[in-house]
Amino acid sequence: MTKRLLLGIVALLLVIAAAYASLYLAPEERTMGVIQRIFYFHVSSAWAGFSAFLICFVANLLYVWRRDQKYDWLGVSAAEVGLAFTTVVLITGPIWAHPVWGIWWTWDARLTSTFILWLLYVSYLLLRTLVEEPDRRALLSSLFGIFAFLDVPLVFGAIRWWRTQHPSPVILGGANSGLDPTMKMVFFFSAFAMHILMIFLVMERYEVEKMAGEVEVLRREVEVV
Amino acid sequence: MKNLDSVFAAYVIGWAVFFLFYLTVAKRTLSLRTEIDRLKNSLPRAK
């Protein structure tokens, strides 16, 4: 409890500092102006969401291999948190796009694959509500989670492999891409803050699964007695 | 400054999503803690 609370406080302080750095310390981008400051929040949320889905993927693989309930709990926790981060990406993206592109949304490869990613993890969570038997639910959702993760590299690669309305990458985008050093520093700090927040939320959500497991055991005990 | 309202909207809505998510998790934790306490209390009586 104390460790989680401490991590929560650290995460809160870090995201406040990241917001301050994004809004006040980072230099203003010449073409887009102030609206480009959404970048620090939008892209770092996307990266933290990808990392949460990676945790879910690894937990799903480990569940299929070991059949330990703890991996199922971790999988669903990371999936829910990843979904929250992807929701933020899908909301902040159009808010940024509208003044710059003149449209809220277009069905290009990056935007469409991100929306499909969101739908896949909504389906992952819905699937869990449809299967009552815990072991069967864990196995089916783990197999679905492994399949769902295949979209993550597709989202990452969409702006690298195809010409899209979405801008080309400025981070990890090759020789012709790059960022001003202060912008880069602010971005990596924001991404770090978002990852700490993501880890904190996964830990909090994991606790819910752990307690739900405890409730199931206690209910069985009460029934037996 | 042009588009400052959009930047403000993106940050506020984004943080609202995280805050609401955290609230739902905290609510579920509280409800499960109450249920665990109730079940633990009912165990000795059942015995």
Side-chain angles (χ1 to χ4, degrees):
Chain A
M1 173 71 189
T2 321
K3 263 187 199 169
R4 288 205 330 269
L5 184 70
L6 194 68
L7 186 66
I9 293 166
V10 170
L12 183 68
L13 293 174
L14 280 173
V15 292
I16 290 170
Y20 177 80
S22 308
L23 296 172
Y24 297 104
L25 298 184
E28 195 159 304
E29 206 266 345
R30 263 177 289 174
T31 322
M32 284 185 274
V34 74
I35 194 79
Q36 186 269 346
R37 291 181 191 277
I38 293 178
F39 161 82
Y40 305 101
F41 191 44
H42 174 76
V43 182
S44 55
S45 295
W47 281 26
F50 288 163
S51 300
F53 291 142
L54 179 66
I55 293 171
C56 175
F57 173 68
V58 173
N60 290 160
L61 282 175
L62 286 169
Y63 180 81
V64 173
W65 182 31
R66 298 249 176 105
R67 302 296 163 102
D68 185 337
Q69 215 174 17
K70 282 177 188 165
Y71 296 122
D72 179 52
W73 296 347
L74 181 61
V76 66
S77 306
E80 242 184 53
V81 173
L83 199 59
F85 276 89
T86 310
T87 304
V88 169
V89 174
L90 287 172
I91 292 170
T92 54
I95 295 174
W96 184 6
H98 189 253
V100 180
W101 300 344
I103 45 169
W104 294 100
W105 183 268
T106 182
W107 294 101
D108 83 345
R110 167 51 77 88
L111 276 67
T112 307
S113 55
T114 306
F115 183 59
I116 290 171
L117 184 71
W118 187 84
L119 286 177
L120 281 167
Y121 281 93
V122 167
S123 310
Y124 172 93
L125 296 175
L126 280 177
L127 175 69
R128 296 182 64 87
T129 64
L130 299 175
V131 187
E132 269 188 38
E133 206 271 304
D135 292 339
R136 196 172 147 76
R137 177 178 61 216
L139 182 63
L140 282 176
S141 60
S142 291
L143 292 172
F144 186 83
I146 293 166
F147 164 73
F149 185 76
L150 296 178
D151 192 37
V152 172
L154 206 68
V155 176
F156 184 79
I159 50 172
R160 290 163 175 85
W161 303 329
W162 300 295
R163 275 183 70 89
T164 54
Q165 174 79 28
H166 190 283
S168 300
V170 288
I171 307 272
L172 305 174
N176 295 325
S177 71
L179 266 182
D180 165 272
T182 314
M183 285 179 167
K184 197 184 264 183
M185 211 163 66
V186 171
F187 169 72
F188 279 114
F189 180 66
S190 300
F192 172 71
M194 284 306 206
H195 275 80
I196 298 297
L197 177 69
M198 181 271 287
I199 291 165
F200 166 68
L201 290 174
V202 170
M203 284 170 78
E204 286 291 303
R205 181 60 185 79
Y206 182 85
E207 199 58 24
V208 171
E209 287 300 311
K210 197 173 148 190
M211 288 168 92
E214 200 180 333
V215 165
E216 264 182 48
V217 172
L218 281 168
R219 274 190 187 144
R220 260 181 262 136
E221 275 181 36
V222 168
E223 275 169 26
V224 169
V225 174
Chain B
M1 265 191 283
K2 204 181 160 196
N3 296 322
L4 193 63
D5 51 345
S6 297
V7 177
F8 183 71
Y11 274 81
V12 167
I13 297 171
W15 289 123
V17 170
F18 290 130
F19 184 67
L20 285 175
F21 177 72
Y22 179 72
L23 272 188
T24 64
V25 173
K27 201 178 158 193
R28 281 181 277 179
T29 307
L30 191 69
S31 133
L32 283 165
R33 195 163 288 147
T34 313
E35 180 68 0
I36 287 170
D37 288 344
R38 191 189 67 79
L39 287 166
K40 275 184 179 167
N41 286 334
S42 70
L43 261 179
R45 265 184 275 144
K47 277 175 187 170

